[in-house]
Amino acid sequence: MTHPILISPSILSADFARLGEEVRAIDEAGCDWIHIDVMDGHFVPNITIGPAVVKALRPHSQKPFDVHLMISPVDPYLDAFVQAGADIITVHPEAGPHIHRTVQHIKSLGVKAGVVLNPGTPAKMLDYLIDDVDLILVMSVNPGFGGQSFIENQLRKIEAIRKMIDKSGRDIRLQVDGGIDLNTAPRAIAAGADVLVAGTATFRGGQSTYADNIRQLRGG
Ligand SMILES: O=C(CO)[C@H](O)[C@H](O)COP(=O)(O)O
Ligand SMILES: [Fe+2]
């Protein structure tokens, strides 16, 4: 199944003092999804935003909110993020005791469910999840911060997961997150990714550059 390439800017690199305006700006600049990085200072060494901020941002765009949860335990917070306006929720298998149950729970809330693999987590982890997920996210940096360098060997993992998805015959998006720029984006796409998360590469240069940045990342 071939999908168009989607761009999901990570608002981690936006101006947090003007977050609503920044979300409107990337929406108007032509992004496809809006990637929201939720960090708890426990699962990852950084703290960002919670459901109240997601709810406050919701009126600023109708595009899908792609919520990447880097919190542990993750299960107690799923309902709150859906109520706040998440459309897609991605979870790390290490963030709770029963990843299959977590995926089922997300889907029961009526939103799309994704599983995220850290750089050190093998593709094999997906063997018994691929029948249920809507999205698989390959982290090409260790989670916690924007602006890190792309870890090259994750291209091999993207290739392996692309084969797994194609073999499954299911409609699953393959997303890559971390260090995506004009050099790494085409290589991630060639390896099989079809959703690119980009924080630094979207927001650099200020609002007047967002549309160009997004278009170039898409390969246009
Ligand atoms: O999940 C993340 C970090 O944990 C971010 O989405 C990611 O790092 C995006 O930032 P950049 O494009 O600047 O690398
Ligand atoms: Fe992310």
Side-chain angles (χ1 to χ4, degrees):
M1 203 166 303
T2 316
H3 291 120
I5 303 303
L6 303 184
I7 306 297
S8 190
S10 161
I11 61 169
L12 194 58
S13 297
D15 179 349
F16 270 34
R18 297 182 297 119
L19 216 41
E21 188 190 326
E22 291 275 71
V23 165
R24 287 201 305 279
I26 51 173
D27 179 323
E28 285 162 18
C31 76
D32 299 288
W33 297 353
I34 291 161
H35 186 85
I36 303 178
D37 288 303
V38 176
M39 306 184 184
D40 65 353
H42 168 72
F43 184 71
V44 291
N46 195 5
I47 301 177
T48 56
I49 67 182
V53 176
V54 175
K55 187 175 177 192
L57 292 175
R58 191 62 279 189
H60 293 274
S61 172
Q62 295 196 2
K63 292 193 175 165
F65 275 12
D66 163 29
V67 178
H68 175 191
L69 296 181
M70 290 161 272
I71 59 177
S72 174
V74 68
D75 296 297
Y77 301 99
L78 298 173
D79 294 54
F81 279 101
V82 171
Q83 280 159 22
D87 298 286
I88 303 152
I89 293 195
T90 51
V91 288
H92 290 251
E94 300 87 353
H98 304 288
I99 182 64
H100 192 278
R101 177 178 283 148
T102 303
V103 166
Q104 284 179 317
H105 185 73
I106 294 169
K107 290 172 69 171
S108 78
L109 297 171
V111 299
K112 304 265 189 210
V115 169
V116 193
L117 301 189
N118 278 333
T121 304
K124 199 163 175 45
M125 156 67 66
L126 299 165
D127 277 358
Y128 298 96
L129 294 168
I130 199 151
D131 295 332
D132 293 285
V133 293
D134 301 298
L135 178 144
I136 295 163
L137 168 51
V138 173
M139 287 306 298
S140 39
V141 298
N142 283 295
F145 303 96
Q148 302 182 76
S149 298
F150 187 86
I151 300 172
E152 292 286 331
N153 67 10
Q154 298 307 301
L155 288 171
R156 196 153 41 88
K157 195 192 292 180
I158 294 170
E159 286 169 6
I161 296 173
R162 167 50 58 202
K163 287 194 184 122
M164 292 169 80
I165 292 174
D166 289 348
K167 193 169 162 212
S168 79
R170 296 194 64 245
D171 182 12
I172 300 172
R173 283 281 182 174
L174 179 50
Q175 187 177 46
V176 59
D177 183 6
I180 293 294
D181 58 21
L182 295 186
N183 170 36
T184 54
R187 292 192 293 136
I189 293 168
D194 56 21
V195 186
L196 308 181
V197 175
T200 309
T202 300
F203 287 94
R204 75 188 157 79
Q207 288 188 4
S208 62
T209 69
Y210 295 171
D212 270 351
N213 295 344
I214 289 169
R215 185 179 44 72
Q216 286 175 20
L217 284 166
R218 214 193 291 282

Short mmCIF file of all heavy atoms in Angstrom, two decimals, residues 1-26:
data_model
loop_
_atom_site.label_atom_id
_atom_site.label_comp_id
_atom_site.label_asym_id
_atom_site.label_seq_id
_atom_site.Cartn_x
_atom_site.Cartn_y
_atom_site.Cartn_z
N MET A 1 0.85 -1.20 0.00
CA MET A 1 0.00 0.00 0.00
C MET A 1 0.89 1.25 0.00
O MET A 1 1.71 1.42 0.90
CB MET A 1 -0.86 -0.02 1.27
CG MET A 1 -2.10 0.79 1.15
SD MET A 1 -3.26 0.42 2.49
CE MET A 1 -3.53 -1.34 2.35
N THR A 2 0.77 2.07 -1.04
CA THR A 2 1.62 3.27 -1.07
C THR A 2 0.83 4.47 -0.58
O THR A 2 -0.30 4.70 -1.01
CB THR A 2 2.09 3.55 -2.52
OG1 THR A 2 2.48 2.32 -3.10
CG2 THR A 2 3.26 4.50 -2.54
N HIS A 3 1.44 5.20 0.31
CA HIS A 3 0.81 6.38 0.88
C HIS A 3 1.56 7.63 0.43
O HIS A 3 2.76 7.58 0.22
CB HIS A 3 0.90 6.35 2.41
CG HIS A 3 0.06 5.29 3.06
ND1 HIS A 3 0.58 4.30 3.84
CD2 HIS A 3 -1.28 5.11 3.06
CE1 HIS A 3 -0.40 3.53 4.30
NE2 HIS A 3 -1.54 4.00 3.84
N PRO A 4 0.86 8.78 0.34
CA PRO A 4 1.61 10.03 0.16
C PRO A 4 2.45 10.31 1.42
O PRO A 4 2.11 9.84 2.50
CB PRO A 4 0.50 11.08 0.01
CG PRO A 4 -0.72 10.47 0.59
CD PRO A 4 -0.57 8.97 0.46
N ILE A 5 3.53 11.07 1.23
CA ILE A 5 4.38 11.41 2.38
C ILE A 5 3.70 12.50 3.20
O ILE A 5 3.27 13.53 2.66
CB ILE A 5 5.76 11.93 1.89
CG1 ILE A 5 6.45 10.88 1.00
CG2 ILE A 5 6.64 12.33 3.07
CD1 ILE A 5 6.67 9.53 1.63
N LEU A 6 3.59 12.26 4.49
CA LEU A 6 3.00 13.24 5.39
C LEU A 6 4.08 13.87 6.26
O LEU A 6 5.04 13.20 6.66
CB LEU A 6 1.96 12.58 6.30
CG LEU A 6 0.79 11.86 5.63
CD1 LEU A 6 -0.19 11.35 6.68
CD2 LEU A 6 0.06 12.77 4.65
N ILE A 7 3.89 15.16 6.57
CA ILE A 7 4.82 15.88 7.46
C ILE A 7 4.09 16.24 8.75
O ILE A 7 3.02 16.86 8.73
CB ILE A 7 5.35 17.17 6.78
CG1 ILE A 7 5.98 16.86 5.41
CG2 ILE A 7 6.35 17.87 7.71
CD1 ILE A 7 7.20 15.98 5.43
N SER A 8 4.71 15.84 9.85
CA SER A 8 4.14 16.08 11.17
C SER A 8 5.16 16.89 11.98
O SER A 8 6.05 16.31 12.62
CB SER A 8 3.83 14.73 11.83
OG SER A 8 3.08 14.87 13.02
N PRO A 9 5.08 18.22 11.92
CA PRO A 9 6.06 19.04 12.65
C PRO A 9 5.95 18.83 14.16
O PRO A 9 4.85 18.84 14.72
CB PRO A 9 5.68 20.48 12.27
CG PRO A 9 4.89 20.36 11.01
CD PRO A 9 4.15 19.06 11.14
N SER A 10 7.09 18.66 14.81
CA SER A 10 7.11 18.53 16.27
C SER A 10 7.12 19.92 16.89
O SER A 10 8.07 20.69 16.69
CB SER A 10 8.35 17.76 16.72
OG SER A 10 8.57 18.02 18.10
N ILE A 11 6.08 20.21 17.67
CA ILE A 11 6.00 21.56 18.26
C ILE A 11 6.98 21.74 19.42
O ILE A 11 7.05 22.82 20.01
CB ILE A 11 4.56 21.92 18.70
CG1 ILE A 11 4.03 20.96 19.77
CG2 ILE A 11 3.65 21.99 17.48
CD1 ILE A 11 2.73 21.45 20.42
N LEU A 12 7.77 20.70 19.69
CA LEU A 12 8.84 20.85 20.68
C LEU A 12 9.80 21.98 20.29
O LEU A 12 10.41 22.60 21.15
CB LEU A 12 9.61 19.51 20.75
CG LEU A 12 10.56 19.24 21.90
CD1 LEU A 12 9.85 19.34 23.23
CD2 LEU A 12 11.18 17.85 21.74
N SER A 13 9.92 22.23 18.99
CA SER A 13 10.84 23.28 18.52
C SER A 13 10.13 24.61 18.26
O SER A 13 10.74 25.55 17.76
CB SER A 13 11.52 22.83 17.22
OG SER A 13 12.30 21.69 17.46
N ALA A 14 8.82 24.68 18.59
CA ALA A 14 8.08 25.94 18.41
C ALA A 14 8.42 26.90 19.55
O ALA A 14 9.04 26.52 20.54
CB ALA A 14 6.58 25.64 18.41
N ASP A 15 7.96 28.14 19.40
CA ASP A 15 8.10 29.12 20.48
C ASP A 15 6.99 28.84 21.49
O ASP A 15 5.81 29.10 21.22
CB ASP A 15 7.98 30.53 19.87
CG ASP A 15 8.10 31.62 20.94
OD1 ASP A 15 8.05 31.29 22.14
OD2 ASP A 15 8.23 32.79 20.54
N PHE A 16 7.35 28.31 22.65
CA PHE A 16 6.35 27.90 23.64
C PHE A 16 5.55 29.08 24.20
O PHE A 16 4.46 28.90 24.73
CB PHE A 16 7.02 27.12 24.79
CG PHE A 16 7.07 25.62 24.55
CD1 PHE A 16 7.24 25.11 23.27
CD2 PHE A 16 6.95 24.73 25.60
CE1 PHE A 16 7.28 23.74 23.03
CE2 PHE A 16 6.98 23.35 25.38
CZ PHE A 16 7.16 22.85 24.10
N ALA A 17 6.09 30.28 24.09
CA ALA A 17 5.36 31.45 24.58
C ALA A 17 4.22 31.82 23.64
O ALA A 17 3.33 32.59 24.02
CB ALA A 17 6.32 32.63 24.75
N ARG A 18 4.25 31.29 22.42
CA ARG A 18 3.22 31.61 21.42
C ARG A 18 2.72 30.32 20.76
O ARG A 18 2.58 30.25 19.54
CB ARG A 18 3.82 32.54 20.35
CG ARG A 18 4.28 33.88 20.88
CD ARG A 18 4.81 34.77 19.75
NE ARG A 18 5.98 34.19 19.13
CZ ARG A 18 6.06 33.86 17.84
NH1 ARG A 18 5.07 34.07 17.01
NH2 ARG A 18 7.15 33.32 17.36
N LEU A 19 2.45 29.31 21.56
CA LEU A 19 2.20 27.98 21.01
C LEU A 19 0.96 27.91 20.11
O LEU A 19 1.00 27.26 19.06
CB LEU A 19 2.09 26.99 22.18
CG LEU A 19 2.64 25.58 21.98
CD1 LEU A 19 3.96 25.55 21.23
CD2 LEU A 19 2.79 24.89 23.34
N GLY A 20 -0.13 28.58 20.50
CA GLY A 20 -1.34 28.57 19.68
C GLY A 20 -1.07 29.17 18.30
O GLY A 20 -1.46 28.61 17.26
N GLU A 21 -0.39 30.29 18.30
CA GLU A 21 -0.06 30.97 17.04
C GLU A 21 0.86 30.08 16.18
O GLU A 21 0.71 30.01 14.95
CB GLU A 21 0.65 32.28 17.39
CG GLU A 21 0.92 33.19 16.25
CD GLU A 21 1.84 34.34 16.68
OE1 GLU A 21 1.75 34.81 17.84
OE2 GLU A 21 2.66 34.75 15.85
N GLU A 22 1.80 29.39 16.83
CA GLU A 22 2.72 28.51 16.11
C GLU A 22 1.96 27.34 15.47
O GLU A 22 2.25 26.95 14.33
CB GLU A 22 3.80 27.97 17.07
CG GLU A 22 4.78 29.03 17.55
CD GLU A 22 5.93 29.24 16.57
OE1 GLU A 22 5.67 29.81 15.48
OE2 GLU A 22 7.06 28.87 16.91
N VAL A 23 1.00 26.79 16.18
CA VAL A 23 0.20 25.69 15.63
C VAL A 23 -0.59 26.19 14.42
O VAL A 23 -0.65 25.53 13.37
CB VAL A 23 -0.72 25.08 16.71
CG1 VAL A 23 -1.82 24.21 16.10
CG2 VAL A 23 0.11 24.26 17.70
N ARG A 24 -1.16 27.38 14.52
CA ARG A 24 -1.89 27.94 13.36
C ARG A 24 -0.94 28.15 12.18
O ARG A 24 -1.28 27.89 11.03
CB ARG A 24 -2.56 29.26 13.74
CG ARG A 24 -3.78 29.07 14.63
CD ARG A 24 -4.72 30.28 14.56
NE ARG A 24 -4.05 31.54 14.87
CZ ARG A 24 -3.79 31.99 16.10
NH1 ARG A 24 -4.15 31.26 17.15
NH2 ARG A 24 -3.18 33.13 16.30
N ALA A 25 0.28 28.59 12.50
CA ALA A 25 1.25 28.88 11.43
C ALA A 25 1.65 27.61 10.69
O ALA A 25 1.74 27.61 9.45
CB ALA A 25 2.48 29.59 12.01
N ILE A 26 1.91 26.52 11.40
CA ILE A 26 2.30 25.29 10.67
C ILE A 26 1.10 24.69 9.93
O ILE A 26 1.25 24.11 8.86
CB ILE A 26 2.99 24.23 11.57
CG1 ILE A 26 2.19 23.92 12.82
CG2 ILE A 26 4.42 24.62 11.88
CD1 ILE A 26 2.74 22.76 13.63
#
